Amino acid sequence: MSPKEGEVIKSIYPKLDKSVYPYATRHSEIYKTPEEEIMEYRPGYEDYRLFQCEADFKRLDQKWEIRSYMSQPRPRGFELDFGYTDMNMLGRNPYGQDFPDHVDRLAASLPDILKVSEKDKVFNYHRYDLHRMDRILTRHLITDDFIDQLFLPLLSYIGKIYLKEQHVQWIMKHDKTFDSWSPDLAYENSPLKMYRPLLKILDSTNSSWDSLVSVLDKMDNFIHRRKI
């Protein structure tokens, strides 16, 4: 939200006590409106983030709680077991466990998202396609909204390329803490974590740009190490 709107909320509504959301970032200021909206003001970033309902902010506070526990020093031999969890994947897969059933459709939607009319010249499910996509992506304004549209179709497309190249298969990783499912490829039952380098490339705050083919390169390296 705009600083002007944020300043209005700050001036009208009282700041919540830190104990209400103890795991929010240390310097954050939290405000609640009568409509159950939550606004977080981060002085260090000079930004205002508005959450449409308090339930959404509570889930974010839960994420911060887990991060806090994970970062605490622990006695040797003692490990906190949250099972699989990857906070960066939360909310990115609306298809849940059934994601593999949607891969073909998602991959086929990529040309429309990238506004490419001559599809056959770019989208042929080959590794060299990704170099062409790099050039196409640099013409787009990389915003969080755009990334939300692009992420799953691009993950599906890259996955289909790799399925042609290697003996891999789709797997779904369940985050029990937040009840979410992360799609991934696996080689000999070992997850390749292909979504991690892709998320790093598509980070709207990242000033540099790695080639999309680096996602395949990282999976190649993992499989090569397994074969040695």
Side-chain angles (χ1 to χ4, degrees):
M1 66 185 309
S2 71
K4 184 176 180 180
E5 293 172 305
E7 285 298 319
V8 170
I9 289 178
K10 282 180 62 180
S11 64
I12 295 177
Y13 304 113
K15 182 169 58 175
L16 293 182
D17 187 89
K18 190 69 176 176
S19 62
V20 178
Y21 291 106
Y23 297 100
T25 52
R26 184 171 57 179
H27 300 295
S28 292
E29 298 176 8
I30 312 299
Y31 300 83
K32 182 178 178 179
T33 72
E35 291 76 25
E36 301 293 317
E37 298 170 317
I38 294 291
M39 188 191 77
E40 180 195 15
Y41 169 57
R42 300 185 297 173
Y45 295 92
E46 296 186 353
D47 69 352
Y48 303 79
R49 303 197 296 177
L50 184 68
F51 297 79
Q52 298 299 320
C53 65
E54 191 169 7
D56 288 345
F57 195 77
K58 285 181 178 178
R59 286 175 62 84
L60 182 59
D61 198 57
Q62 285 180 297
K63 289 171 60 177
W64 286 328
E65 180 181 9
I66 291 176
R67 181 176 294 174
S68 174
Y69 282 139
M70 287 180 168
S71 64
Q72 290 176 4
R74 299 182 292 273
R76 182 177 296 179
F78 176 77
E79 293 293 335
L80 292 167
D81 184 14
F82 289 100
Y84 163 75
T85 185
D86 193 316
M87 297 179 186
N88 293 316
M89 285 298 295
L90 299 184
R92 292 191 178 276
N93 172 27
Y95 307 103
Q97 192 175 3
D98 297 328
F99 169 82
D101 297 335
H102 299 269
V103 163
D104 291 344
R105 179 182 61 80
L106 286 166
S109 72
L110 196 55
D112 290 333
I113 293 171
L114 294 177
K115 295 180 171 46
V116 176
S117 56
E118 297 180 320
K119 302 177 183 180
D120 294 342
K121 291 185 178 181
V122 180
F123 300 93
N124 297 295
Y125 296 95
H126 294 296
R127 184 176 288 240
Y128 56 74
D129 295 349
L130 300 181
H131 294 295
R132 294 170 178 158
M133 282 189 218
D134 285 334
R135 295 194 293 272
I136 293 168
L137 280 168
T138 57
R139 302 189 206 119
H140 287 265
L141 179 63
I142 306 300
T143 64
D144 290 337
D145 287 342
F146 179 63
I147 296 308
D148 287 343
Q149 296 178 52
L150 179 67
F151 175 68
L152 283 184
L154 189 52
L155 182 82
S156 300
Y157 190 90
I158 293 174
K160 284 173 67 70
I161 291 175
Y162 213 59
L163 283 165
K164 292 172 61 176
E165 295 184 356
Q166 296 283 356
H167 294 294
V168 295
Q169 63 279 332
W170 287 107
I171 61 167
M172 299 302 301
K173 299 163 70 174
H174 187 219
D175 183 337
K176 294 180 181 178
T177 304
F178 294 102
D179 191 24
S180 68
W181 291 89
S182 298
D184 197 6
L185 290 176
Y187 174 78
E188 295 182 347
N189 297 319
S190 296
L192 299 177
K193 302 176 182 177
M194 65 174 296
Y195 50 85
R196 290 187 176 177
L198 183 58
L199 283 173
K200 185 177 180 181
I201 290 171
L202 298 179
D203 184 352
S204 64
T205 66
N206 192 355
S207 59
S208 60
W209 184 272
D210 290 332
S211 173
L212 292 172
V213 79
S214 66
V215 178
L216 300 181
D217 291 341
K218 286 180 170 60
M219 292 192 287
D220 285 344
N221 292 335
F222 178 89
I223 292 174
H224 177 71
R225 291 195 299 270
R226 287 293 304 269
K227 289 179 177 179
I228 293 177

